[in-house]
Amino acid sequence: MIIKHIHRLILCAAFVLLAPVAAHASEIPYRDFARHPPLTHPVISPDGKHLAVSVHNEDGSYQLGVLALPDLKPVSRLNMAPRTLPIGITWVSNTRLVMGLGEESGTLEAPQGTGEVVAVDFDGSHKRVLYSWRVRDTKGTNMNILSMVRGAGFIAGTPHQLNGHVYISVSPFRTHASSGSRDSGQSLIYDVETDSGHATLMGRIDEAGMSFVLHDDVARFAYGSNQDDPYRIDVYSRENADSPWQKLPASITGKRLVPIHISADGKHLYSLYSADGGPDQLVVSNLDGSARRVLAGDDFAAVDDVLWTPYPYQPYGVVFGAGKPRIQYLDDSIYAQINQALAAKFPDEFLTVASASQDGMQLIIGAHSDRDPGTYALFDRSSMNLQPLFRSQPWIDPQQMVPRQPINFTASDGTRLAGFLTMPANSAGKPTPLVLLPHGGPIGVADSWGYDPWSQFLANRGYAVLQVNYRGSGGRGTDFEHSGYKQFGSGIQQDLIDGVNWAIRQGYADARRVCVFGASFGGYSSLMAPIRAPGMFKCAVDYAGVSDYAIELHRSDTRRSAGGRNYFMQAIGTDDDTIRAISPIYHLDKFNIPVLIIHGKDDPRVPYENATELRAALDKAGKPYEWLVRDKEQHGFYSEENNIAFYEALQAFLDRHIGKGAH
């Protein structure tokens, strides 16, 4: 079928991605930005008859839900423990699925896997815990769990021909913990039959934190971050299950090699690769790394995602995520044609196949944009019909949101930087009060072109929003990430300051009304950027930010792993002089603007002491601040009530200092 014919059929499909055109709202309610999406992460069953989703209820609890297709009639709901949600939902047959358990710790962190895996039938029956370190020593524990080592287990895939089995990778705990670390120096992967829980060891390597690439039920490659250098990938291979692991030399791996898939015939390896530290490319090679061929690459942006057909899993496109994401197609397959035709019909959205039935005839199409948090539809290849399913946040009207414009500029030292600018609907081309919104991380994290509730909220309240992917950000290759090392308080902050100067020169920002607001490392930048640029900012909002890196070194949960401790040493520095130089709390004589301090008391990543010690130092110096702290909140507020309070305090603070009430 030629692409023009597919395009014509899709154009006739009855499918509406966006809500009807509406006038821009004067002020969208706080709650609309604070609510959790009710349905997320849809995964279609192998036979295309059911859809598994993560369900978030109004009371804050989560469930694993199964819905019948195409009418979304509820089939079953499996209740989860408080603040626990299903992650990595995977069908292992037409009637059985598995999920990992995740823990919701706050809005600033993705849910963290607990290291446990559970199986259940689509109708909610025959639930079985396949792996859990919690239940090993409890009465009645499944003996099959005891046959596996004690550690953290995660879903690692399924056989190509689904047979009720799942692959579970395990990172064992130390037998005798020392220095608060759980690293054991080993990685394993098991084939687990989900009805009985019977486990068969498929691979083991004496290296911590490894992921495996399998072929014909044999772990052929193992890869993961080097424990001494968290941003170096070590890769091992072996001929068969009885062969020893061999570390691949630098002549094969280059600066970075991440093996991702072995072809169905077992002859070729698909990998993400960078010879010299530039943006990752998608390459294919022989299994020994020879005859390498580049399938897709870009000088500025790394390959962010690879689009695969159903089995035999051929790549048909790659996604470059910098700016507005774009797809480079690798062939003219039916999946590429469908994606191209849908993209042509909905040019303001980014669309991909989010999930597919085993025969590839039923496709879940996912769409999102800077104004649309997410929309899902069912595409039937036999009828070429596209049927709407659900919107992830149906209360958000895309027509009331504003575009997030990708930007590029050159920093003062000549570094090419990118980011996003969000202008309020009523700016009319005039300089506008500006909020600099630095992202967290900082290393390997980046702002991307999706729907961003903070940017949309601020724009709705009349503020321009600038987001800069400063040095160290992800998506541009290893060397760019490493350029942020030892630059937390200097080069990174200068990139943010250069971004504000760019926005002022371009006429977007009113230089007299600029504030900085960020969370996590962004909260740190909200304290440090005004210290480096006196007079630029009129106020700051520190949300779960670091005020003293000594607290991070000694109390943060990052210190509990060898990789985390090495990250502190390499990316930040651990000597007293460095810590004092980059910690805002020691430079408050240069911090002369009002600050709003926001923190959760149970934050394990950026401990609450960062807020209390900052408050005490400001009190001692007689400097102004405002305070919003909540009990039982971790890294970013989780509850809707507390998030509404956050939005209210944020708006009131900005309005007083750079908004309507500012002089």
Side-chain angles (χ1 to χ4, degrees):
M1 181 178 293
I2 62 172
I3 192 168
K4 289 183 179 179
H5 183 47
I6 291 180
H7 181 67
R8 184 170 62 252
L9 289 171
I10 289 177
L11 285 175
C12 295
F15 177 45
V16 178
L17 275 175
L18 298 180
V21 175
H24 287 285
S26 56
E27 280 201 0
I28 297 170
Y30 297 111
R31 183 170 184 260
D32 285 1
F33 296 102
R35 297 171 67 183
H36 294 265
L39 301 179
T40 56
H41 303 103
V43 185
I44 196 170
S45 62
D47 59 9
K49 294 181 179 179
H50 295 95
L51 195 69
V53 293
S54 175
V55 180
H56 186 273
N57 298 306
E58 289 290 336
D59 64 1
S61 66
Y62 282 93
Q63 297 171 316
L64 172 69
V66 177
L67 311 171
L69 288 173
D71 58 4
L72 297 185
K73 182 179 179 180
V75 174
S76 67
R77 287 192 176 193
L78 182 67
N79 294 328
M80 313 294 289
R83 297 190 77 156
T84 301
L85 69 161
I87 60 175
I89 301 169
T90 304
W91 291 87
V92 297
S93 73
N94 290 332
T95 59
R96 194 158 177 78
L97 44 83
V98 297
M99 62 179 172
L101 301 185
E103 187 174 60
E104 185 77 80
S105 59
T107 55
L108 305 181
E109 283 282 305
Q112 300 296 304
T114 65
E116 299 160 289
V117 180
V118 175
V120 66
D121 282 356
F122 79 106
D123 60 2
S125 64
H126 299 106
K127 176 185 174 183
R128 177 179 290 277
V129 177
L130 300 180
Y131 190 88
S132 173
W133 55 271
R134 299 176 198 262
V135 304
R136 289 178 63 86
D137 301 323
T138 59
K139 184 178 180 180
T141 296
N142 183 347
M143 293 301 294
N144 289 305
I145 294 179
L146 298 179
S147 71
M148 295 181 276
V149 298
R150 184 174 185 270
F154 302 94
I155 298 168
T158 61
H160 296 327
Q161 299 300 322
L162 298 181
N163 57 2
H165 288 233
V166 66
Y167 301 145
I168 297 178
S169 63
V170 175
S171 296
F173 297 153
R174 283 187 183 274
T175 304
H176 300 288
S178 62
S179 304
S181 174
R182 285 183 164 182
D183 299 333
S184 71
Q186 276 192 335
S187 301
L188 304 94
I189 188 166
Y190 294 91
D191 179 346
V192 181
E193 201 283 315
T194 63
D195 283 327
S196 67
H198 177 75
T200 302
L201 182 65
M202 303 174 67
R204 170 170 35 201
I205 187 171
D206 291 333
E207 295 287 343
M210 294 283 115
S211 298
F212 296 92
V213 177
L214 299 102
H215 181 70
D216 288 344
D217 297 331
V218 176
R220 295 293 303 276
F221 288 87
Y223 66 95
S225 296
N226 181 279
Q227 292 301 296
D228 295 325
D229 181 357
Y231 287 91
R232 190 181 91 207
I233 302 294
D234 288 336
V235 184
Y236 298 82
S237 70
R238 61 180 182 173
E239 290 288 334
N240 53 58
D242 300 319
S243 301
W245 290 103
Q246 301 290 333
K247 186 176 180 179
L248 298 187
S251 59
I252 296 296
T253 61
K255 195 72 173 280
R256 173 178 156 91
L257 177 74
V258 180
I260 51 179
H261 179 62
I262 297 173
S263 61
D265 61 10
K267 296 180 179 180
H268 297 97
L269 174 68
Y270 293 96
S271 306
L272 297 178
Y273 175 74
S274 172
D276 57 5
D280 287 348
Q281 304 169 316
L282 176 65
V283 302
V284 63
S285 67
N286 295 330
L287 294 188
D288 62 3
S290 63
R292 180 182 293 122
R293 179 166 55 93
V294 176
L295 299 179
D298 184 88
D299 291 338
F300 185 83
V303 170
D304 189 57
D305 194 14
V306 181
L307 308 180
W308 301 90
T309 69
Y311 186 78
Y313 307 128
Q314 297 291 326
Y316 66 89
V318 301
V319 178
F320 295 105
K324 181 178 179 180
R326 60 183 175 85
I327 297 175
Q328 178 180 332
Y329 293 97
L330 307 179
D331 60 29
D332 195 31
S333 68
I334 184 65
Y335 302 99
Q337 292 184 42
I338 290 171
N339 224 104
Q340 286 176 292
L342 288 170
K345 179 170 175 57
F346 305 106
D348 295 331
E349 301 276 325
F350 179 73
L351 298 98
T352 58
V353 176
S355 181
S357 61
Q358 192 165 22
D359 62 7
M361 295 304 294
Q362 303 290 321
L363 309 176
I364 302 299
I365 304 297
H368 77 275
S369 74
D370 50 352
R371 295 181 292 162
D372 177 9
T375 302
Y376 295 94
L378 175 65
F379 186 80
D380 186 330
R381 278 180 52 196
S382 60
S383 66
M384 303 301 289
N385 181 54
L386 192 63
Q387 177 176 332
L389 291 177
F390 65 89
R391 297 172 57 206
S392 64
Q393 297 183 45
W395 54 86
I396 294 293
D397 181 352
Q399 300 302 320
Q400 293 183 348
M401 302 295 111
V402 293
R404 295 176 66 228
Q405 173 187 342
I407 61 169
N408 289 273
F409 66 93
T410 302
S412 53
D413 69 349
T415 302
R416 186 182 173 197
L417 298 175
F420 298 92
L421 180 70
T422 306
M423 297 296 293
N426 61 356
S427 61
K430 298 179 181 179
T432 304
L434 176 75
V435 176
L436 172 66
L437 181 55
H439 66 70
I443 306 298
V445 179
D447 286 312
S448 59
W449 178 83
Y451 170 79
D452 179 30
W454 289 357
S455 295
Q456 294 292 349
F457 169 76
L458 292 170
N460 181 256
R461 267 41 177 188
Y463 298 102
V465 181
L466 175 66
Q467 296 166 285
V468 177
N469 283 326
Y470 44 72
R471 67 195 65 206
S473 299
R476 291 185 56 186
T478 302
D479 283 357
F480 189 77
E481 290 188 14
H482 284 185
S483 70
Y485 278 22
K486 306 293 179 68
Q487 297 290 310
F488 283 26
S490 52
I492 289 176
Q493 304 309 316
Q494 189 60 48
D495 289 345
L496 294 168
I497 294 163
D498 289 343
V500 173
N501 284 326
W502 171 86
I504 293 170
R505 289 195 306 269
Q506 297 296 315
Y508 296 117
D510 181 346
R512 300 166 300 173
R513 295 193 290 174
V514 179
C515 184
V516 55
F517 152 52
S520 195
F521 182 84
Y524 163 78
S525 294
S526 295
L527 301 172
M528 201 66 191
I531 290 170
R532 286 189 59 90
M536 172 173 279
F537 302 98
K538 297 299 182 288
C539 60
V541 180
D542 162 28
Y543 187 2
V546 178
S547 66
D548 186 349
Y549 264 102
I551 297 173
E552 293 303 289
L553 293 181
H554 301 297
R555 303 178 198 174
S556 169
D557 60 358
T558 305
R559 79 189 193 285
R560 295 177 185 170
S561 68
R565 293 189 293 274
N566 285 322
Y567 168 79
F568 282 143
M569 185 179 299
Q570 294 191 21
I572 302 171
T574 57
D575 61 281
D576 290 343
D577 289 344
T578 295
I579 295 303
R580 290 186 67 88
I582 69 171
S583 296
I585 201 165
Y586 301 111
H587 306 282
L588 293 181
D589 58 315
K590 301 176 184 176
F591 188 86
N592 296 307
I593 56 175
V595 58
L596 169 61
I597 302 169
I598 306 170
H599 223 106
K601 288 188 176 180
D602 295 336
D603 191 337
R605 181 58 44 86
V606 179
Y608 177 51
E609 288 87 347
N610 280 281
T612 57
E613 293 191 11
L614 175 62
R615 177 179 62 177
L618 291 170
D619 279 334
K620 184 176 180 180
K623 298 195 173 184
Y625 65 87
E626 296 183 30
W627 185 254
L628 177 63
V629 165
R630 289 293 184 266
D631 295 326
K632 300 180 181 179
E633 290 285 7
Q634 299 184 36
H635 199 46
F637 292 170
Y638 172 81
S639 81
E640 181 179 311
E641 177 184 357
N642 289 339
N643 272 297
I644 290 174
F646 151 69
Y647 280 114
E648 290 175 338
L650 176 63
Q651 180 179 353
F653 183 79
L654 294 175
D655 283 353
R656 279 195 299 274
H657 296 293
I658 63 170
K660 300 172 185 177
H663 296 290

